[in-house]
Amino acid sequence: MRKRGLPPTHQNQITRKYAETVCSVARDLDSPCVDLWTAMELMVKKATNRAPLAVAAREGMLGSDFAQASGKLRNIFDTQLSAISPFDGYEIYLSDGLHLNANGNKLLYKLVVSEIVTKWPELRPY
C-alpha cells in the first residue's frame, strides 16, 4: 500500500513486461487472454493524442499481432475520449495509478465479454 504523499512505486514498463508474459503464457496454453494493459495504452493514446509506451514498445516487437490486436480493440470501443491531464490520461481508467476506477472496470468488462464471445459465441450475453 502506498503512503500518502509518496510517489507511486508501480512503473509502466514493469507492468508492460508482466502483461506480455501473461499473454505469452496464455498463447502457449491455447487459452484466452484479456490484455487490459494494451487496451488502456491504446485508449489513453486515443484520449491524449500521444503515443504511449505500448505503441512504442510493442509495435515493432509484435508486428502484425499488435496491429491485429489494436484493430480489434478499436472495434470494441466506440467511446470518443478527449481529455488531457497532468497524469498522462491514466486517471481515465485508474483511481490511484494501479487500481481500476469505474471506467477501468467498464473497459475490463468489455474486454472480457469480447474474449468470451470470440472464443465461445454461444455464451454471448446479449
Side-chain angles (χ1 to χ4, degrees):
M1 178 179 249
R2 185 166 70 98
K3 294 182 180 179
R4 289 183 183 260
L6 296 177
T9 57
H10 242 319
Q11 295 180 2
N12 203 20
Q13 289 185 354
I14 292 170
T15 307
R16 174 182 57 87
K17 289 178 186 177
Y18 181 84
E20 288 173 348
T21 301
V22 168
C23 290
S24 175
V25 169
R27 277 191 303 275
D28 290 348
L29 297 173
D30 194 30
S31 182
C33 181
V34 172
D35 188 354
L36 180 61
W37 186 85
T38 298
M40 282 198 314
E41 287 291 305
L42 291 169
M43 296 306 288
V44 167
K45 175 189 179 207
K46 183 178 178 180
T48 61
N49 293 315
R50 67 174 179 77
L53 184 60
V55 175
R58 297 182 84 180
E59 196 164 45
M61 290 169 56
L62 295 180
S64 63
D65 287 347
F66 182 81
Q68 183 181 15
S70 63
K72 180 180 174 184
L73 292 171
R74 276 194 288 275
N75 291 334
I76 294 171
F77 308 107
D78 55 357
T79 306
Q80 191 72 11
L81 299 171
S82 58
I84 297 180
S85 73
F87 302 109
D88 291 332
Y90 291 97
E91 74 284 352
I92 297 169
Y93 300 105
L94 302 173
S95 61
D96 60 1
L98 174 61
H99 299 97
L100 299 175
N101 61 20
N103 287 331
N105 282 308
K106 288 176 188 175
L107 177 63
L108 179 59
Y109 170 80
K110 288 180 179 182
L111 289 168
V112 168
V113 169
S114 174
E115 195 64 31
I116 289 170
V117 169
T118 299
K119 189 79 172 176
W120 303 283
E122 69 276 10
L123 297 178
R124 182 181 213 91
Y126 41 86

